[in-house]
Amino acid sequence: MDRIPRNITDNYSEEAVRDRIDWLRRKTGLPLDGIATYSIAPSDARGNIENFVGVAQVPIGLAGPLRINGNHAQGNFFVPLATTEGALVASYNRGMKVIGESGGANARILKDETYIGAIIDFGNLSEVIRFSHWVKENFSRLKEVAESTTHHGKLQSIESSIQGKRALLSFHYTTGDASGLNMITIASKAVIDLILTEVSVGRCVFPATFNDKKSTFMNAIKGRGKSVAADVTISRKLVEGALHTTPEEMMQGCYANSLMSATIGGTLSHNHHFANGLAALFIACGQDVAYVAESSVGSTVMDVSDSGDLYVSVTLPDLIAATMGGGTGLGTAKECLDMLGCYGTGKVQHFAEIIASVLLAGEVSMWGAIMSGEFSEAHRRYGRKQS
Amino acid sequence: MDRIPRNITDNYSEEAVRDRIDWLRRKTGLPLDGIATYSIAPSDARGNIENFVGVAQVPIGLAGPLRINGNHAQGNFFVPLATTEGALVASYNRGMKVIGESGGANARILKDETYIGAIIDFGNLSEVIRFSHWVKENFSRLKEVAESTTHHGKLQSIESSIQGKRALLSFHYTTGDASGLNMITIASKAVIDLILTEVSVGRCVFPATFNDKKSTFMNAIKGRGKSVAADVTISRKLVEGALHTTPEEMMQGCYANSLMSATIGGTLSHNHHFANGLAALFIACGQDVAYVAESSVGSTVMDVSDSGDLYVSVTLPDLIAATMGGGTGLGTAKECLDMLGCYGTGKVQHFAEIIASVLLAGEVSMWGAIMSGEFSEAHRRYGRKQS
Amino acid sequence: MDRIPRNITDNYSEEAVRDRIDWLRRKTGLPLDGIATYSIAPSDARGNIENFVGVAQVPIGLAGPLRINGNHAQGNFFVPLATTEGALVASYNRGMKVIGESGGANARILKDETYIGAIIDFGNLSEVIRFSHWVKENFSRLKEVAESTTHHGKLQSIESSIQGKRALLSFHYTTGDASGLNMITIASKAVIDLILTEVSVGRCVFPATFNDKKSTFMNAIKGRGKSVAADVTISRKLVEGALHTTPEEMMQGCYANSLMSATIGGTLSHNHHFANGLAALFIACGQDVAYVAESSVGSTVMDVSDSGDLYVSVTLPDLIAATMGGGTGLGTAKECLDMLGCYGTGKVQHFAEIIASVLLAGEVSMWGAIMSGEFSEAHRRYGRKQS
Amino acid sequence: MDRIPRNITDNYSEEAVRDRIDWLRRKTGLPLDGIATYSIAPSDARGNIENFVGVAQVPIGLAGPLRINGNHAQGNFFVPLATTEGALVASYNRGMKVIGESGGANARILKDETYIGAIIDFGNLSEVIRFSHWVKENFSRLKEVAESTTHHGKLQSIESSIQGKRALLSFHYTTGDASGLNMITIASKAVIDLILTEVSVGRCVFPATFNDKKSTFMNAIKGRGKSVAADVTISRKLVEGALHTTPEEMMQGCYANSLMSATIGGTLSHNHHFANGLAALFIACGQDVAYVAESSVGSTVMDVSDSGDLYVSVTLPDLIAATMGGGTGLGTAKECLDMLGCYGTGKVQHFAEIIASVLLAGEVSMWGAIMSGEFSEAHRRYGRKQS
């Protein structure tokens, strides 16, 4: 059977890449000119990809300005959104305009802590309880071992949940500006290795992946990565003039939609479409896009304020984002992060506040479109036909 | 305040794009050469993007061959994965090798139906019950109206869930080869318009978005889009030789991880990392990447078979994928779909079987790495440092 | 070691009961006069209890009249509530008064179907798909076998959910006036026996108990047993005069509580305290009280109506109740059912409408108390001290 | 319209009770001799019931001996179970026998902390964040106020979850031997009153009831009340001889049932029937039976041990039980608690360990019956017919 040329560890020479794409052209009979058009140097992609053959080009649309009054992000931002969903950029752009006319989005980091789990089997309940005491007593040593593997990660706590003879350990860290998942995997592995040396255990499953890159109640309840929120109060006049609906309609729509979903759909996340803006930002900014599954959890709430205006908030308990490491430094990703003033160290909370504010803009616009009946209209106008 | 040049409806001339990128360069002081390097004709992106300024380049690694024995997809496939997560392509590639040596992945479509919701308010419970009877009695008319808007969408049923004075209507369709979400939005809007003409209602929220682009129990339980599964039986010898663990360890790992997550984490989806492979395929193949949040729901189960070998399955109840419409026809997306023999009409079930098989490969490899203790090792070897 | 006298199958003679209670008195040194005070003839308890020694006495408080305008239950009802939670009867009584002054509770059955599950293992995905076709093709035979075991149970459908090599079959029945769980266990066992005779399967787990006597999303989404709702519109004047709050406050309280729980608590059921009234009714009326865990799922929604009054509804998707069989015919249980005009055949939908209306009364009163700030006051006044 | 005689506050004189029951007899034409047969002095029920008319008699069956090796409960226990579900007592009794022959149930308290929530609205995100800092800074004062209302309750922490402009405060207490829910309601009300005096807030919803008397992920994840577990290892020989199945079958049954429910049913609780034993114990022992909805959450796990025997555990994260206050001191309730050596102060952890051990017995027996195919057989033999 045919195999892809070149060993998978020999990925990054120009020649290796050419061999592979040529082989693929012959194999498929396709010209593949798009994939082969890129500005990234293959060698820069070492550590990000194996068997590199080229790139996927995802169109970027620009939205903004988005006015943000955050603790970290402050000012007007122009936001690159990589998507092929027609109407998405136009809709976010409209929301940004409404937010700008309302004085900007107020964004805040609520919590910043990431955790990873391990499951350890013992012989019975008594043993697992004893172990859980051992972990408490040895925490400072375990912390030292974990932190010896990293400059930026700090082990804050180890929580132990017991279920029969098994313990679910969760290791909670602050991680600086990387998304930190690789970092805490390596640090926690060092802890696990120490445990396995000193404690007699049965099986160890590490990492326990039940909460990673998935929507889970535990992540939503405890928070994971950045917990971040943003809000805005939009005057009744602007709701009527720009969104063609009323604060009361918006609140009722939210109430009905959230209640129905809460009570009938088994939804753990109450927003219109966080996933839209998030995926578009994540692709543009070189994030690990698989985290859309986890980071898009969160809720939009709309209220009529005491003054009769519309109060809108978004809350994301579980945002996994990075401004260094992973794909953040590669070609277009670095450009997009730079555009937002977010590349490198000391920038991740800045980036998280921007993300929340962008999603707020999307919610304002899309809920407005739904409540005014323009939503499916917009899809007909901007979107591709799929009759 | 500065604004992005050109009206948002004037997106697709070469000149408009150049005006925008030049303005952005001046504005940011960045060269933005990466974003400006692409092979897509802007005019081809009409309907996919607004305020087009360029592209995000996401590296594609090639994995395969992946042997699939599906009802639709049959043969060996080379799979483009667009990602910046180091080790991902290598890991999927390893899983494909193991599957190939085990005779291939057996993939099957379990169900193919998509739904969209609307919430309608009435004055009280009696009225909403009366309405729900009206819907039943008028189903054939409503079906006719819905189907008059589309060639491929067929309205199969309208389900009505009642909660107090509100009805959650869900419109269930078969959609052919598009993901169909725009299609069923337009078709259901026509039904809603008819309802609003003939029935006196309070507020109507359409679409109800509680289940769209989110992980929800309702989608997992009812299925949405393609419900698809794939399985493989891997000999004990291969588990030991290639994965460096045993069928018993793999099953125990799955048992512990799934049980702990089921009982402690509030997880609705039991897999290692469906989101990884899915995001990589979705970006490469021009899918609506926001659907990673919804489509990555599903479960991996590992059993020791009667013969002492390892049985592994993946089941995805809720996969939203397309082989026409949306971003599927654009540049690199079309190339990647063509590579898999999946572009165009009559191909979406074929594509869904490939997706399930790719995810199966990822689960085999990654679970093997976890149970043999190689997982964090692999991340240290291939991944970027984020110390 | 001491053992309880008399064989467990010899439970119901006066002598056997006396032997046991005397032994227990000697054993414990306690007089046990309360337990030994009862009016039930032990022989009547055959089929309800083994090793009978006496009774638990749970105080009954009477609430009412409760005015109900149901499809089945119509008129004024006096409701026996068995509880030891101080303030509970007073609170339900207050709610009934408010409902009465508002013209009564409008109660409706939404659905009446019960299901039970079985899990069957096959060798792989293909086999389980083949089996699921076999079930469809043989449905009429399977239906006949199921219905041969029962006069009242009718098998409506067999749904088959596939996960890897396993099928979850769910057998959906209408069950007449018994709660029907024993009935459908026996009927489905007959189907399972036929399957095991004709189809080569691996392991069969029957019944699959994941959904029985538990709060589950599947039960909430599909409905199980009686799906029933009740509503009432309460004039603003009455809200202010009797509940000491306003329609707006009530709606906002519901909104905040439901949204917070939906978004932060991982709640699948949005009511104040369905479980209170349900447990009290279930104990009084000889229901299987373990079903409180399942039947208390459901939601209360409060809205300000167009006329500025307060609209309140309760919806229970998953109520398991009976008016014959089980403990319904025993002593005080039969008396309580008779009091409600609900004992015997043809009465279970009547009973379900009463239950929903009672819970509506509780929600009105308790939400009123919370929003007016009287709740903890009431607990201080009526409840026992536990300082 | 007829009304129940006597003011609802005049409940406890012999005369008042007689007036009421006589009126009810005339009203209904029923003799009501069962309800009127009881040993409780009405005046003792003050604080537990209003409009007292008599009692519900629920048959008690005796099971045991149950051998427990707990930290608190040690020895052999005879357990009163109040139920009308045929076969229940026999089944628990069988499980206790198997556990006794296996050396007893090992029970342990994992955590003991109860919380209650409040939702407070502010004007916007900044205000709610400021408030959440205020709560931290003023914790010692708030703790003092809370603890001034109670002898036994100790406020451990106040957690603040933010969602938009609302804070969900949760007040975490240790509560001694009462279930503590009234206690922490009163204590937290004092805190709320102080907050409302010193902080300018919008609406306050207290108590927030989203987590009380309901199955919720938050309670399961954080624990509420007693978190308690019990385990036992049963020899292969005993599994085969007494349960007529094998350790492998038991484990596979658990695996299949839990996985299917985890992946298909949206279950947050993986046990056969905790609710059965719990409801029977709660009714017998004067607990607040509505808490069955919450306390029955938890999981049973079965494993084949290294020695080839069967390991079974139950874990209840969220058990609300009391040995003083509420209905615990009333007539038969006190007798049943005394029988278990559990009445009064210093006994609640003892009681919790017994409860977990009883549920373990039920799970062993009922899972054995399912896996050996005897389950529906038992229901046919012991249960009432409902054909």
Side-chain angles (χ1 to χ4, degrees), chain A residues 167-229:
Chain A
L168 169 63
L169 294 184
S170 47
F171 302 92
H172 293 252
Y173 294 84
T174 54
T175 63
D177 294 283
S179 78
L181 277 309
N182 278 355
M183 175 202 298
I184 72 177
T185 301
I186 291 165
S188 302
K189 182 57 165 50
V191 177
I192 294 291
D193 287 344
L194 178 63
I195 290 171
L196 298 180
T197 312
E198 303 201 1
V199 182
S200 170
V201 312
R203 190 169 293 100
C204 172
V205 178
F206 174 77
T209 59
F210 68 91
N211 71 320
D212 195 47
K213 300 185 174 177
K214 291 171 200 74
S215 301
T216 74
F217 285 102
M218 189 185 270
N219 290 354
I221 289 170
K222 293 193 168 185
R224 188 164 187 247
K226 274 67 193 161
S227 298
V228 60

Side-chain angles (χ1 to χ4, degrees), chain A residues 217 220-221 251-252 254-255 258-259 262-268 270 299 301-303, chain C residues 217 220-221 251-252 254-255 258-259 262-268 270 299 301-303:
Chain A
F217 285 102
I221 289 170
M251 181 186 162
Q252 277 290 334
C254 177
Y255 187 53
S258 284
L259 278 172
T263 62
I264 294 187
T267 306
L268 58 61
H270 299 260
S299 294
V301 179
M302 291 186 282
D303 287 271
Chain C
F217 285 102
I221 289 169
M251 180 185 164
Q252 277 291 335
C254 176
Y255 187 52
S258 285
L259 278 172
T263 62
I264 293 186
T267 306
L268 59 60
H270 299 261
S299 294
V301 179
M302 291 186 283
D303 287 271

